[in-house]
Amino acid sequence: MQARPLEGIRVVDYSHFLAGPYVGRCLAALGAEVIKVERPGSGDAGRQHATVLDDEQSGYFLQLNMGKRGVSVNMRDPRGKAFMQRLCDSADVFVENYRPGALNKLGLGYDELSARNPKLVYCSISAYGHTGPDAHRAGFGLIAEAKSGIMQMIGTPGEPPPLMRISLGDMYTGIHAVAAINAALLGRVKSGRGQHIDMALYDTLVSMHEYAVQCYTMQGILPEQTGHDMPTSTLYGVFRAADGDLVIAAQVDDAWKRFAALVEAHGGPAAFGTDARFHTLAGRNTNRADILSVVKPWVASRPVAQVLELLDGVDVPCAKVQRIDEVLADPQIVARGMVVEQEHPRYGKLRMPNLPFRFSDCDTTIREVAPDLGQHNAEVARSLGFGAAEIDAMQTDGVLYSKVRP
């Protein structure tokens, strides 16, 4: 087995909530030493976000910060600022997701840190980025989802768009940041210098449009809400069976012909499988109403398992719309190791989503649980050259903060 790709890289994770911590978790999985820096007292606001387990940990925080070492520093004390400067001097990567300009007041902006450490790769994540008329505005993933045009395209026609219920903007921006950081580290090998990476949630969601922008710029067509299927890709959508929901993807000509023949052979109308009107995508889209009037009742009359068995038998892509408990028990997910188990000293066995990295010669599964607030203060301080007396004084005075547990 090889060493993980980023072993030997030190990352200062000065971020909170989701996008920044997700970047840190990914870099930790890839082998980097990630040091999570939090404010004294409450720490990262994500500690109290969702599925709160006690006064310091939540399932949300545990998932996003596994594999990191944790320090908590009072930046208002000059010794805290000196600690942070020394830590950033030792770092290869700095990750933050505050409003542009906020960290300049603490002496942790890109200009100041890069002047001290020219090799530093400094990654900023914000709602709108560090340039443009909206750079100063606050925002979350929900804001970017609304402004990007993605939200307007989903849901039932005539009704307000639904919440997507996953943090698409944060996670998509986060993984783009991971890619950019790795590219900058590779570029540093040649240039000898780091650089500032400016990631915006709004930018990354706009970049996700694989067809909507072209529909408008090339044909003047604005995407509309379509509900449970796509009028431009018949047959492709969600269908209700007798005991649940499933998706069918028979929008490709060959798959459609196999699907239509199957429907005809199992109770559908005669000649449904040979109707030439349906043998091209344009024809299917034009006659979408006729197709749905057959397919919907055909699916609805059968249980999900029977429909899936029939469609799998003719190699038409399909899947049940699964609940989370079904996902966790899915043999494919189990086989791929997509649920990581960790043994926590207070909470026992934890099961959380793994990252999708798969390397042939190294294991990127994180076994170490997320740190308690300030858990590694002394360890990190020693690595920076602070003496025992200095560390004791900073801990006693709360410059290096940790919550004392009974």
Side-chain angles (χ1 to χ4, degrees):
M1 298 291 284
Q2 299 181 23
R4 289 181 294 172
L6 294 185
E7 287 193 13
I9 296 295
R10 171 172 276 189
V11 178
V12 174
D13 180 354
Y14 200 86
S15 66
H16 58 158
F17 278 125
L18 179 51
Y22 179 72
V23 173
R25 180 190 171 184
C26 290
L27 297 176
L30 295 173
E33 175 198 21
V34 180
I35 300 173
K36 171 83 173 180
V37 182
E38 300 178 75
R39 60 189 176 189
S42 58
D44 182 343
R47 288 183 178 272
Q48 296 297 317
H49 186 52
T51 319
V52 176
L53 300 176
D54 59 23
D55 61 351
E56 188 179 317
Q57 296 279 31
S58 68
Y60 183 93
F61 183 87
L62 289 166
Q63 176 175 330
L64 293 167
N65 294 283
M66 61 175 69
K68 304 177 186 180
R69 293 197 289 169
V71 299
S72 181
V73 185
N74 181 4
M75 288 287 291
R76 293 189 176 91
D77 189 297
R79 291 171 293 174
K81 183 174 181 179
F83 176 94
M84 279 301 302
Q85 287 178 330
R86 197 180 297 190
L87 177 61
C88 294
D89 288 349
S90 74
D92 298 283
V93 178
F94 184 91
V95 179
E96 61 91 6
N97 62 342
Y98 289 84
R99 199 181 302 195
L103 295 192
N104 294 339
K105 303 171 185 177
L106 298 176
L108 297 177
Y110 172 69
D111 290 342
E112 184 166 342
L113 293 187
S114 64
R116 297 174 57 92
N117 179 5
K119 292 187 176 182
L120 185 67
V121 174
Y122 188 111
C123 181
S124 297
I125 301 173
S126 59
Y128 297 100
H130 282 231
T131 59
D134 290 334
H136 66 287
R137 299 182 65 191
F140 292 91
L142 177 67
I143 309 303
E145 290 162 11
K147 287 185 67 71
S148 68
I150 292 176
M151 184 176 288
Q152 184 272 333
M153 295 164 54
I154 63 174
T156 302
E159 296 184 5
L163 292 176
M164 284 186 258
R165 297 298 303 276
I166 59 169
S167 300
L168 189 66
D170 290 273
M171 302 295 268
Y172 195 64
T173 305
I175 200 61
H176 271 68
V178 172
I181 288 168
N182 279 287
L185 288 172
L186 181 60
R188 191 180 70 171
V189 174
K190 298 179 180 179
S191 69
R193 294 186 61 84
Q195 56 185 305
H196 185 205
I197 299 168
D198 177 10
M199 302 293 305
L201 275 64
Y202 190 14
D203 290 351
T204 53
L205 287 186
V206 170
S207 79
M208 283 189 75
H209 285 296
E210 81 280 15
Y211 75 94
V213 171
Q214 300 93 301
C215 282
Y216 179 67
T217 59
M218 296 180 183
Q219 297 179 308
I221 298 173
L222 287 171
E224 299 177 349
Q225 292 174 300
T226 62
H228 300 114
D229 72 320
M230 294 179 65
T232 57
S233 294
T234 308
L235 180 87
Y236 188 94
V238 185
F239 297 87
R240 174 140 292 178
D243 60 350
D245 299 320
L246 68 147
V247 295
I248 302 173
Q251 80 282 19
V252 179
D253 290 348
D254 288 344
W256 164 260
K257 291 175 183 177
R258 294 194 300 272
F259 173 74
L262 174 75
V263 171
E264 180 181 342
H266 289 80
F272 186 70
T274 56
D275 192 328
R277 294 180 302 157
F278 306 153
H279 286 183
T280 65
L281 179 60
R284 290 192 295 278
N285 291 341
T286 299
N287 296 282
R288 172 171 165 264
D290 291 343
I291 288 174
L292 293 179
S293 69
V294 171
V295 174
K296 284 185 176 182
W298 185 86
V299 173
S301 66
R302 294 165 169 79
V304 169
Q306 182 184 358
V307 178
L308 296 179
E309 182 179 6
L310 290 170
L311 296 184
D312 283 338
V314 294
D315 197 26
V316 171
C318 58
K320 181 181 180 182
V321 177
Q322 296 191 131
R323 302 184 309 265
I324 288 297
D325 60 331
E326 295 173 311
V327 174
L328 297 180
D330 190 323
Q332 180 67 19
I333 289 301
V334 174
R336 296 284 291 174
M338 278 307 300
V339 178
V340 61
E341 292 189 352
Q342 297 181 320
E343 193 65 37
H344 196 281
R346 293 195 301 282
Y347 314 130
K349 183 176 289 187
L350 302 174
R351 300 177 70 221
M352 290 174 286
N354 204 350
L355 294 171
F357 303 140
R358 294 293 177 272
F359 291 84
S360 63
D361 289 325
C362 62
D363 182 7
T364 59
T365 301
I366 297 175
R367 305 298 179 189
E368 302 82 11
V369 300
D372 286 335
L373 187 58
Q375 179 179 340
H376 302 101
N377 286 339
E379 178 184 323
V380 173
R382 283 193 295 271
S383 77
L384 298 175
F386 288 96
E390 292 176 289
I391 295 171
D392 287 344
M394 286 192 291
Q395 290 181 319
T396 299
D397 297 341
V399 178
L400 295 179
Y401 173 89
S402 63
K403 186 169 289 187
V404 178
R405 293 189 170 275

